[in-house]
Amino acid sequence: MKIGVYSPYLDSFGGGERYILTIAEVLSKDHTVDLFYESHQQSLGIAGLKNTLEKRLNLDLSSVMLVKAPLGPDGNFSQRLLFFKKYDVLFYLTDGSVFYSTARASIIHFQVPFPNKSARSLWGKFKLSSWKEAVFNSYFTGDYVKKQWGVKGRVIYPPVDIGEIKPGPKHKYILSVGRFVSFTKAKKHEEMIKAFVQLYDLGKIPGWSLHLAGSVEGEENYLEELKKIAGSTPVYFYPDLSFEKLMELYGKAAIYWHAAGLGENDPVKMEHFGITTVEAMAAGCVPVVINKGGQKEIVENKVSGLLWDDLEQLKNLTIEMVTKPDLRAKLAEAATLRSKQFSKERFAENIRELVKKYG
């Protein structure tokens, strides 16, 4: 089959890009797969873009063709009608918008629980009617989108390269992985640093250190602000860490923190799944993560990790993990086993099954 894959965010390297481009990688083994780019994205250096995506996301896109598509501000309706008609299946990572597709089977992927601002009008409903079904990265995302958009769909959990991650000799490391973004401060770095400083200064976690890794993407000033908050406390930062170095860090860490969604009521501002949590679990880290969003679908509370509702709980549960190494080891073993439910192999099986439906 001839399959098209479209993400408006090719210049980013987040979970959505990993999800949609892994679809391209998986399907390119048995089908012709075109990855679309818009005319304004040519400034990214299309020739080297595929190599960059492969390295940053640890993917093999050698059989995927980059194709310019009439999308974005330079495309028009009639051009798109003719263009998409060539494709048997189209996958689209939505940014909250929708367009009319003439592909034989069009599948829209929701990585984020977007409110419906695009398909409430008659024209919007007409465009949405051209999509066969939706795919969601979690039940958290899916339940919200179904109510808002009135679409049918299925959950296919994101692909996690757990085969690339191995537990190593554990250090007294607490790890958190997430983008450093000053505009949204979505990963709650400040709150985690302050919680760690309080624990450390009170002597509750002697010898332990906090390690924060993530892409910076022009946020150097924000990173400096976070360093000031940490002060002389053992908090270490790893901006734009390579995949290999990040895997090493996962292997060393004993506890994993995740706080996205803290103090938030808007579903968009919560963690919609939590790939980094699964990666940490695969490395034998005990997840001590917020009881919101997709985290609840990943971590079985008190079985394969611990869930918390506020910072006091986070601190108390962390003290428990630090002072009870036997319990920590038991949870770490269960976390590693649980992570296999979210493997890249399982994702590939689900995607192939989905496409086979339209073959």
Side-chain angles (χ1 to χ4, degrees), residues 32 48 98:
T32 300
V98 66

mmCIF file of all heavy atoms in Angstrom, residues 32 48 98:
data_model
loop_
_atom_site.group_PDB
_atom_site.id
_atom_site.type_symbol
_atom_site.label_atom_id
_atom_site.label_comp_id
_atom_site.label_asym_id
_atom_site.label_seq_id
_atom_site.Cartn_x
_atom_site.Cartn_y
_atom_site.Cartn_z
ATOM 1 N N THR A 32 5.067 1.317 0.826
ATOM 2 C CA THR A 32 5.682 2.572 0.387
ATOM 3 C C THR A 32 5.192 3.685 1.301
ATOM 4 O O THR A 32 3.978 3.914 1.408
ATOM 5 C CB THR A 32 5.286 2.892 -1.065
ATOM 6 O OG1 THR A 32 5.738 1.835 -1.917
ATOM 7 C CG2 THR A 32 5.893 4.212 -1.520
ATOM 8 N N GLY A 48 19.091 17.084 5.172
ATOM 9 C CA GLY A 48 19.653 16.519 6.408
ATOM 10 C C GLY A 48 18.630 16.270 7.493
ATOM 11 O O GLY A 48 18.976 15.727 8.555
ATOM 12 N N VAL A 98 -7.959 20.222 11.701
ATOM 13 C CA VAL A 98 -8.302 19.103 10.837
ATOM 14 C C VAL A 98 -8.518 19.633 9.419
ATOM 15 O O VAL A 98 -8.912 20.782 9.234
ATOM 16 C CB VAL A 98 -9.565 18.371 11.357
ATOM 17 C CG1 VAL A 98 -10.799 19.259 11.277
ATOM 18 C CG2 VAL A 98 -9.783 17.061 10.631
#
